[in-house]
């Protein structure tokens, strides 16, 4: 099931949140030869509890993200609908698949997994990857996958605004994706010129937007261009956002979630609550134990495309 946290009544945004920080995401290297724009997880936003990282990636063979482990978080990979290319994935648990334009994958890494994410071919795969922290009581759960094809994602539209609902709810329509451990709302909005969006956000949730195309006013009176992170206020009584598109089509994702309110100790792909737990994660991975049994002797086949 999707998050059970109720939203305000439709269009019932009475006290909008406001931008408190707007930062341009610049390109940087990642993986093997890949280039990404990092939104969350950079110097401006080391993390945004419960979110650890958001990357906008554009990648084609021979670049990619060869075999690498995870523990303590979930990853959400969304290939944008206009992407030319696709992303193939393979992991030590025996899962293997392809994410094409508009497809979605939630991977709960939890206690441990080793996987690779590599473009299918020389066509550029354009998408977003979000890392969501898991509360301490769920960090050692069993790994879990949820995948939806583009045609399975819920959609809704109103007053010149289209919503692709990755998780949570928009315009009264809810995603079927389960976000039980860390409830999340994640919506891709496409706005026609000068249109207005009124989107409720549950009280107390951390929320931000990442802009993809065009420009929009998130409440400050200023138009925010593409590739910016807009961190939103979280004051008492603030119940959503009001966004007005600029003079051209605008696109952005709105991401909100309930904070874990726990210490975050991160070293690369391992995210735990203490330094001792991080050291144990490395030991477990290297020894293939305590959740990493599946990595013993495993190497993906797809990683060799990046060489």
């Amino acid at each position: 099931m999707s998050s059970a946290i109720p939203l305000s009544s439709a269009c019932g945004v009475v006290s909008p949140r406001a931008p408190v920080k707007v930062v341009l995401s610049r390109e940087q290297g990642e993986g093997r030869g890949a280039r990404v724009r990092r939104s969350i997880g950079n110097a401006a936003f080391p993390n945004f509890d419960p979110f650890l990282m958001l990357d906008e990636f554009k990648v084609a063979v021979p670049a990619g993200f060869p075999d690498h482990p995870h523990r303590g978080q979930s990853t959400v990979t969304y290939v944008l609908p206009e992407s030319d290319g696709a992303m193939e994935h393979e992991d030590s648990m025996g899962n293997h698949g392809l994410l094409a334009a508009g497809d979605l994958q939630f991977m709960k890494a939890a206690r441990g997994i080793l996987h690779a994410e590599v473009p299918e071919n020389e066509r550029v795969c354009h998408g977003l990857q979000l890392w969501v922290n898991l509360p301490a009581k769920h960090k050692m759960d069993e790994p879990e996958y949820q995948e939806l094809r583009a045609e399975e994602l819920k959609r809704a539209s109103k007053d010149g605004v289209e919503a692709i609902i990755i998780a949570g709810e928009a315009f009264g329509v809810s995603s079927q994706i389960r976000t039980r451990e860390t409830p999340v709302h994640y919506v891709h909005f496409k706005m026609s010129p000068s249109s207005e969006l009124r989107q409720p956000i549950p009280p107390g949730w951390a929320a931000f937007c990442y802009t993809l195309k065009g420009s929009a006013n998130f409440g400050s009176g200023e138009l925010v261009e593409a590739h910016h992170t807009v961190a939103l206020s979280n004051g008492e009584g603030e119940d959503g956002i009001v966004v007005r598109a600029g003079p051209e089509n605008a696109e952005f994702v709105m991401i909100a979630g309930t904070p874990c309110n726990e210490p975050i100790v991160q070293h690369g792909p391992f995210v735990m609550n203490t330094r001792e737990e991080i050291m144990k994660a490395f030991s477990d991975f290297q020894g293939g134990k305590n959740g990493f049994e599946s990595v013993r002797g495993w190497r993906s086949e797809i990683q060799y495309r990046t060489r």
Side-chain angles (χ1 to χ4, degrees):
M1 63 179 180
S2 61
S3 166
I5 302 295
L7 293 177
S8 306
S9 59
C11 298
V13 178
V14 176
S15 179
R17 299 189 183 206
V20 294
K21 194 173 186 179
V22 179
V23 177
L24 174 65
S25 296
R26 301 185 185 278
E27 278 196 344
Q28 64 181 64
E30 187 68 18
R32 183 178 290 164
R35 303 291 293 176
V36 304
R37 291 182 183 268
R38 181 152 294 170
S39 165
I40 305 300
N42 57 25
F45 298 104
N47 57 66
F48 197 80
D49 187 18
F51 306 110
L52 304 162
M53 189 194 80
L54 176 67
D55 279 354
E56 177 186 3
F57 59 83
K58 287 185 176 181
V59 61
V61 168
F65 308 96
D67 297 3
H68 59 282
H70 287 284
R71 172 178 278 183
Q73 81 274 57
S74 295
T75 67
V76 186
T77 305
Y78 173 48
V79 179
L80 291 168
E82 294 79 17
S83 176
D84 289 330
M87 186 73 77
E88 193 170 1
H89 68 89
E90 183 183 354
D91 71 34
S92 58
M93 306 291 289
N95 299 296
H96 186 186
L98 186 71
L99 299 176
D103 290 349
L104 172 70
Q105 178 197 83
F106 268 69
M107 184 187 78
K108 178 182 169 184
R111 64 186 302 175
I113 204 164
L114 180 63
H115 77 154
E117 303 157 292
V118 175
E120 181 185 26
N121 50 38
E122 291 77 15
R123 300 179 69 176
V124 174
C125 183
H126 184 195
L128 301 171
Q129 186 169 96
L130 176 71
W131 289 12
V132 185
N133 197 15
L134 286 170
K137 64 181 180 180
H138 290 294
K139 286 186 179 293
M140 295 300 286
D141 287 357
E142 291 294 327
E144 179 184 344
Y145 273 95
Q146 301 177 72
E147 289 192 359
L148 291 177
R149 299 302 152 205
E151 61 272 17
E152 297 176 300
L153 288 177
K154 301 290 187 179
R155 295 172 181 259
S157 60
K158 183 174 183 178
D159 299 332
V161 181
E162 178 188 2
I164 303 173
I165 306 157
I166 295 166
E169 179 183 333
F171 303 143
V173 176
S174 297
S175 169
Q176 63 270 59
I177 284 289
R178 302 182 302 277
T179 60
R180 295 167 300 192
E181 296 83 3
T182 309
V184 169
H185 289 174
Y186 185 169
V187 185
H188 179 185
F189 287 108
K190 298 184 176 186
M191 304 183 69
S192 59
S194 302
S195 60
E196 181 179 278
L197 165 69
R198 304 178 72 85
Q199 170 69 16
I201 298 173
W205 283 28
F208 71 98
C209 297
Y210 180 73
T211 56
L212 294 166
K213 291 182 181 179
S215 61
N217 172 10
F218 290 86
S220 67
E222 301 289 332
L223 289 175
V224 180
E225 306 287 338
H227 312 303
H228 283 76
T229 302
V230 182
L232 299 169
S233 59
N234 191 7
E236 184 176 355
E238 294 180 339
D239 57 354
I241 55 170
V242 176
V243 182
R244 296 177 179 85
E248 55 189 346
N249 292 328
E251 293 188 31
F252 67 95
V253 292
M254 185 218 71
I255 299 174
T258 179
C260 295
N261 293 319
E262 297 174 350
I264 296 173
V265 181
Q266 180 174 354
H267 196 291
F270 299 143
V271 186
M272 303 301 288
N273 298 100
T274 67
R275 182 67 182 169
E276 291 73 21
E277 290 172 336
I278 289 290
M279 298 305 294
K280 188 175 188 305
F282 274 100
S283 174
D284 288 346
F285 173 62
Q286 292 165 356
K289 59 185 180 180
N290 297 325
F292 279 115
E293 287 81 1
S294 67
V295 311
R296 296 174 185 166
W298 183 84
R299 296 290 183 273
S300 72
E301 296 180 6
I302 63 174
Q303 73 165 321
Y304 298 106
R305 259 191 246 140
T306 65
R307 295 185 175 178

